[in-house]
Amino acid sequence: MNEAPVSCLPNASKMSKAKKVIEEARDTHNPEVDLVDKGVSSFDELPGLLNMQHLTRITLSHNKLRSVPASLANLFNLEILNLSNNNIEELPMSLSSMPKLRILNLSLNKLYELPRGFGAFPMLEVLDLTYNNLKETSLPGNFFIMETLRALYLGDNDFECIPAEIKNLKNLQILVLRENDIIELPKEVGELPRLRELHLQGNRLTILPPEIGSLDYTQKSAFKFEGNDWVPPIADQLKLGVSHLLDFLRSESYRVIYKRYMEHKPTPPPPCCDKAKKTSRVRQYPQTKPKSAF
């Protein structure tokens, strides 16, 4: 019995549904376009989309996109852009010129670097870069000038350190750095006055700068420190709770401990996992739909 040949072309049924969604949005002047899991591998397969300047929200998650056209920036009314779970390897410089963009989800892609000028977003509030291949050298010089940013998701990347310029994100409320290779946290994180969520799980941290104790911790806060190789004084305080840890970081005794540790810094712990096996580095389309930050 002969088997049917396998086609490399996009699923015709999904493609026709994508075109129908675009046509309906154009005809009804619907400001939101939902193109989740439509088998889209290129914006060329979405005729007319980039001319619909009335759009305020585009969702293109769980597709097969590899790049984003510069002309996407022509959609000057766009407020929410979700490109999560694709195969995007590069972004256009023009993306950061979008005047009304508030939420940008680029999680679960294959980004190794961000374009020059990426920090120029005038209105961006939420930026999700979870599960890519980014590190400190991937960030452009103006990355930390986004004064409107409230939430920054950098989890599941390859950062070993975070630039001190992070202190410039004065409106930041959520900072997610979990599952990287971070060896040392900059003291400037303690200068973020509105920070209410700090996720540091699964890194290579051993000690925290005393300035982290300046963060405002309440019952509504979410500070996560598990999965690091903490020095015994920090590990002991964490067993009692985050509030105990922050009190300890503010103490004079801890400042002495910290100073001595930094004078004789030991070799940092080795990486806890093989990043070469990350899905974001495998040249194949994701088969599942991992949970995104939003």
Side-chain angles (χ1 to χ4, degrees), residues 5 30 36 54 57-58 68 79 81 84 108 127 151 153-154 172 176 182 214 240 247 259 266-267 274-275 283-284:
N30 188 342
V36 176
H54 69 283
R57 179 172 188 154
I58 295 177
V68 179
E79 298 179 14
L81 177 60
S84 66
L108 295 153
L127 175 59
Y153 298 88
L154 294 176
L172 201 64
V176 178
I182 298 174
S214 301
L240 300 175
D247 287 341
K259 182 179 179 180
T267 302
D274 184 1
K275 294 295 184 73
R283 300 282 179 172
Q284 63 183 26

Side-chain angles (χ1 to χ4, degrees), residues 32-52:
E32 300 185 1
V33 170
D34 187 341
L35 296 167
V36 176
D37 193 19
K38 294 293 189 293
V40 180
S41 58
S42 169
F43 276 80
D44 292 338
E45 299 166 8
L46 305 172
L49 179 68
L50 299 179
N51 296 320
M52 299 168 63

Side-chain angles (χ1 to χ4, degrees), residues 43-114:
F43 276 80
D44 292 338
E45 299 166 8
L46 305 172
L49 179 68
L50 299 179
N51 296 320
M52 299 168 63
Q53 295 185 346
H54 69 283
L55 292 179
T56 61
R57 179 172 188 154
I58 295 177
T59 304
L60 269 163
S61 56
H62 308 294
N63 282 290
K64 301 176 182 181
L65 294 169
R66 289 186 177 274
S67 63
V68 179
S71 54
L72 182 64
N74 295 333
L75 302 182
F76 53 82
N77 283 308
L78 203 64
E79 298 179 14
I80 301 173
L81 177 60
N82 189 339
L83 297 170
S84 66
N85 202 1
N86 278 278
N87 295 291
I88 298 171
E89 299 175 355
E90 60 180 339
L91 298 169
M93 289 176 55
S94 61
L95 197 64
S96 59
S97 67
M98 302 182 77
K100 298 183 180 180
L101 195 65
R102 295 185 299 103
I103 299 175
L104 176 58
N105 190 340
L106 292 164
S107 63
L108 295 153
N109 276 289
K110 298 184 177 182
L111 295 169
Y112 280 87
E113 61 181 358
L114 300 176

Side-chain angles (χ1 to χ4, degrees), residues 91-147:
L91 298 169
M93 289 176 55
S94 61
L95 197 64
S96 59
S97 67
M98 302 182 77
K100 298 183 180 180
L101 195 65
R102 295 185 299 103
I103 299 175
L104 176 58
N105 190 340
L106 292 164
S107 63
L108 295 153
N109 276 289
K110 298 184 177 182
L111 295 169
Y112 280 87
E113 61 181 358
L114 300 176
R116 183 164 55 88
F118 188 81
F121 293 97
M123 297 282 290
L124 199 64
E125 298 178 14
V126 178
L127 175 59
D128 191 346
L129 292 165
T130 304
Y131 212 89
N132 279 281
N133 304 303
L134 301 171
K135 51 187 177 182
E136 49 275 13
T137 56
S138 305
L139 306 180
N142 70 339
F143 184 81
F144 294 104
I145 68 169
M146 293 180 279
E147 295 181 357

